[in-house]
DNA sequence: CGGAATCCTGCGAGATACTG
DNA sequence: CAGTATCTCGCAGGATTCCG
């Protein structure tokens, strides 16, 4: 964050920073999937649904790097890896909840506006 | 929104829905740029900084379609087009503020976690 | 000034196959 | 089970040019 920037500009950059990090297709869904508690790799995969192993691997690694999830390995056969949300990860999921509430509250308005717009234009 | 889905799943889908709509590179920045009041096309362009006319045109049109901004045309020479945030657009910018606060609060933690992670791995 | 039309590019992300 | 390694493709988004 640039301390010399004006508050509003800082806000703007901050938001776009998180969005570019968190606004991808899977990150939030994975975080939400982990809210209930620790999950193993394929457990998360099942919960998210539609995600490829590759994207899940990437997403989890990125989240681990950012301190959002913790990775615990048990060296058995078959191997087990548990993923757990950190407090930071939880706080992100709370923010996500806020987004979800906004979406639920205004989804109808948006749909209507689109229909109206589309009917007026071609 | 699917009413038959469980609450958590609904949340999850709702979040990813908004994110896929609002999580692009420019939407939020344009909304934030309009918080101060009505702006003309190139005014917004200057405020956002780094955006191409094409992307600004697209972003504004999408926001108009969703009922987030209003477009008012004055047929003079030179032509003038004013863009204004609707109440719905304002409410989105408030949600964005929330995201910004989260980012500001945890940016340091994330940075530290990344440095730590990168030093332990390659 | 405020766009529309066109071209071009990199990256997000899916599918598949292989490994420990 | 939990990954890694390629290969591929679509599309977000940049640059440039043209129009009323």
């Amino acid at each position: 964050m640039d301390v010399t920037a004006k508050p509003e500009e800082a806000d703007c950059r901050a938001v776009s920073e998180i969005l570019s990090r968190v606004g991808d297709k899977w990150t939030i869904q994975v975080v939400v999937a982990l809210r209930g508690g620790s999950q193993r790799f394929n457990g998360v995969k099942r919960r998210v649904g539609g995600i490829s192993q590759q994207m899940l691997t990437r997403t989890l690694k990125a989240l681990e790097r950012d301190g959002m999830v913790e990775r615990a390995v048990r060296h058995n056969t078959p191997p087990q890896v548990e993923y757990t949300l950190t407090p930071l990860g939880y706080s992100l999921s709370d923010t996500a909840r806020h987004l979800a509430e906004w979406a639920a509250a205004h989804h109808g308005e948006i749909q209507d506006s689109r229909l109206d717009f589309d009917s007026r234009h071609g």
Side-chain angles (χ1 to χ4, degrees), chain A residues 68-117:
Chain A
M68 309 271 207
V69 305
E70 262 183 23
R71 192 185 123 110
V73 190
R74 295 250 137 228
H75 293 282
N76 336 4
T77 45
Q80 296 188 352
V81 183
E82 289 252 331
Y83 291 95
T84 312
L85 231 48
T86 65
L88 182 58
Y90 266 111
S91 77
L92 175 61
S93 80
D94 286 340
T95 305
R97 260 208 182 294
H98 237 268
L99 264 177
E101 283 162 20
W102 184 88
H106 300 288
H107 192 250
E109 281 181 72
I110 295 176
Q111 290 283 57
D112 293 348
S113 178
R114 283 182 185 171
L115 288 175
D116 184 41
F117 184 94

Side-chain angles (χ1 to χ4, degrees), chain A residues 47-78:
Chain A
R47 284 200 153 217
V48 171
I51 190 172
S52 64
Q53 336 83 315
Q54 164 145 238
M55 286 314 298
L56 182 54
T57 302
R58 283 190 199 174
T59 304
L60 283 170
K61 196 179 295 175
L63 284 170
E64 190 196 354
R65 187 171 106 99
D66 288 358
M68 309 271 207
V69 305
E70 262 183 23
R71 192 185 123 110
V73 190
R74 295 250 137 228
H75 293 282
N76 336 4
T77 45

Side-chain angles (χ1 to χ4, degrees), chain A residues 29-51:
Chain A
Q29 297 193 54
V30 168
V31 168
V32 170
L34 284 171
R35 288 195 75 181
S38 302
Q39 298 282 328
R40 310 226 327 247
F41 187 87
N42 282 318
V44 179
K45 191 167 182 329
R46 249 171 277 120
R47 284 200 153 217
V48 171
I51 190 172

